[in-house]
Amino acid sequence: MNDALDSLYREVVLDHYKNPRGKKKLAHVDIKNEGKNPMCGDEIEVEVELDGDRVKDLSVSCAGCAISVASGSMLYEVIKGKSLDEVKKIARIVKAMLKGEEYSTDGIDLGDLDVLEGVRKFPVRIKCALLSWTTLVDALEGMENGKKASVSTTE
Ligand code: ZN
């Protein structure tokens, strides 16, 4: 990664870390889940309000390192208003991006998420970046399977 991209990565991550976008209280919660990343001590709580098969609103409260908080904040920005199918697709893209696998954005606007590619340089931080995504997807799948998700941990 060149220096310009490196400083962009740092700037975007720090901005989300200092002002996490999704930290708020929802008036109505349809599904929620907690996640932990024991490797780093990151903890997260995700709440979702649905409108049919669409994420009407969500809240992401994360206590942890800069990467975990920033990733949760970006998740909030990108996921709000998306259909559940799109949410799962985006979560797969993020996973592939972090693991250095090939992916196609399929016309989805990833917002600031592309800077997460910078996390690949720090393998120990990949779990931090994945925490919010794993926690959200587990919550959605738990709902679809008709049971409440237990606390999620990053693989
Ligand atoms: Zn972390």
Side-chain angles (χ1 to χ4, degrees):
M1 195 183 293
N2 63 43
D3 286 349
L5 207 59
D6 203 27
S7 74
L8 172 74
Y9 160 78
R10 214 168 302 154
E11 208 173 290
V12 172
V13 166
L14 281 180
D15 179 51
H16 278 277
Y17 177 55
K18 285 182 194 154
N19 306 294
R21 315 293 196 259
K23 204 165 187 173
K24 59 181 186 183
K25 277 272 159 238
L26 291 187
H28 180 86
V29 177
D30 288 303
I31 40 175
K32 61 178 191 175
N33 194 19
E34 288 168 39
K36 287 186 202 311
N37 172 23
M39 292 274 293
C40 179
D42 311 316
E43 292 187 14
I44 195 164
E45 211 178 288
V46 177
E47 295 180 338
V48 181
E49 177 179 3
L50 295 170
D51 179 13
D53 71 341
R54 210 159 268 280
V55 174
K56 188 177 175 196
D57 203 356
L58 72 163
S59 109
V60 181
S61 308
C62 186
C65 66
I67 303 283
S68 65
V69 174
S71 180
S73 174
M74 291 174 198
L75 173 146
Y76 168 80
E77 280 192 332
V78 173
I79 291 310
K80 193 174 167 182
K82 294 284 194 295
S83 74
L84 299 183
D85 280 346
E86 286 169 320
V87 171
K88 280 186 256 179
K89 197 181 279 178
I90 295 168
R92 277 197 298 271
I93 292 172
V94 170
K95 219 168 181 175
M97 189 192 281
L98 286 166
K99 295 190 168 171
E101 292 160 5
E102 284 199 31
Y103 62 90
S104 141
T105 56
D106 250 339
I108 294 175
D109 179 10
L110 293 178
D112 287 338
L113 277 176
D114 52 357
V115 306
L116 283 182
E117 242 174 304
V119 176
R120 250 192 288 171
K121 284 203 301 184
F122 313 100
V124 74
R125 292 273 169 244
I126 292 175
K127 287 183 179 178
C128 305
L130 276 178
L131 178 63
S132 51
W133 298 91
T134 306
T135 305
L136 176 65
V137 169
D138 283 354
L140 297 179
E141 285 176 351
M143 176 192 69
E144 284 167 351
N145 297 332
K147 57 181 183 226
K148 194 183 164 294
S150 55
V151 175
S152 302
T153 46
T154 43
E155 302 141 46

